């Protein structure tokens, strides 16, 4: 099995930046496809970004495209979400997720096998 441990959340003013980290263990990290999701109070969990196991393909929700960047460092078994130009509507609990090295879909939560514990991101006006 795979364990995912997240860090890097916190409070930031609108227009600021944060970087989230997600460290994986239990399997060969380089074989994982990785994604980020978020969930605000009263809303469904929504897709944010994903990266293929090779790092060659990335995907972003329209709401974050141009502001967020997903990346991975396989030597550190870690995936990152760099968040710039943050807006109050970005406030949510952010979750990282992992699945095997499939070319299948990565945009829906049910397509992932393992989940991190979540970390709060709060953006003030």
């Amino acid at each position: 099995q795979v364990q995912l441990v997240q860090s890097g959340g916190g409070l930031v003013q609108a227009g600021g930046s944060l970087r989230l980290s997600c460290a994986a263990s239990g399997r060969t990290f380089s074989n994982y496809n990785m994604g980020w999701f978020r969930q605000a109070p009263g809303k469904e969990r929504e897709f944010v970004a994903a990266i293929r196991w090779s790092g060659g393909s990335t995907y972003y929700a329209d709401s974050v495209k141009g502001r967020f960047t997903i990346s991975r460092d396989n030597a550190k078994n870690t995936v990152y979400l760099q968040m710039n130009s943050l807006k109050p509507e970005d406030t949510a609990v952010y979750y990282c997720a992992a699945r095997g090295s499939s070319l299948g879909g990565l945009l829906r939560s049910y397509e992932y096998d393992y989940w991190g514990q979540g970390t709060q991101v709060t953006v003030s006006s």
Side-chain angles (χ1 to χ4, degrees), residues 88-101:
E89 51 262 44
D90 295 318
T91 295
V93 176
Y94 283 70
Y95 298 89
C96 67
R99 67 169 294 171
S101 59

Side-chain angles (χ1 to χ4, degrees), residues 1-4 22 24-25 27-37 47 49-54 59 70 72 74 79 96-116:
Q1 61 183 31
V2 173
Q3 292 180 318
L4 303 176
C22 176
S25 64
R27 294 285 187 179
T28 302
F29 178 77
S30 61
N31 290 337
Y32 304 158
N33 297 281
M34 302 295 297
W36 288 95
F37 291 77
F47 170 78
I51 186 168
R52 292 287 182 191
W53 65 270
S54 66
Y59 311 89
I70 187 171
R72 64 191 301 156
N74 288 347
V79 64
C96 67
R99 67 169 294 171
S101 59
S102 171
L103 294 179
L106 296 175
L107 307 185
R108 296 179 175 87
S109 61
Y110 63 78
E111 294 169 324
Y112 290 81
D113 303 307
Y114 308 101
W115 291 86

Side-chain angles (χ1 to χ4, degrees), residues 34-105:
M34 302 295 297
W36 288 95
F37 291 77
R38 66 188 183 186
Q39 188 167 23
K43 295 185 177 181
E44 298 291 325
R45 186 171 298 185
E46 66 175 348
F47 170 78
V48 176
I51 186 168
R52 292 287 182 191
W53 65 270
S54 66
S57 298
T58 57
Y59 311 89
Y60 297 94
D62 288 341
S63 59
V64 307
K65 191 172 296 182
R67 300 187 297 120
F68 291 11
T69 302
I70 187 171
S71 62
R72 64 191 301 156
D73 185 341
N74 288 347
K76 297 181 179 180
N77 291 347
T78 301
V79 64
Y80 304 96
L81 185 67
Q82 178 67 47
M83 304 183 293
N84 298 327
S85 301
L86 282 162
K87 305 174 181 179
E89 51 262 44
D90 295 318
T91 295
V93 176
Y94 283 70
Y95 298 89
C96 67
R99 67 169 294 171
S101 59
S102 171
L103 294 179

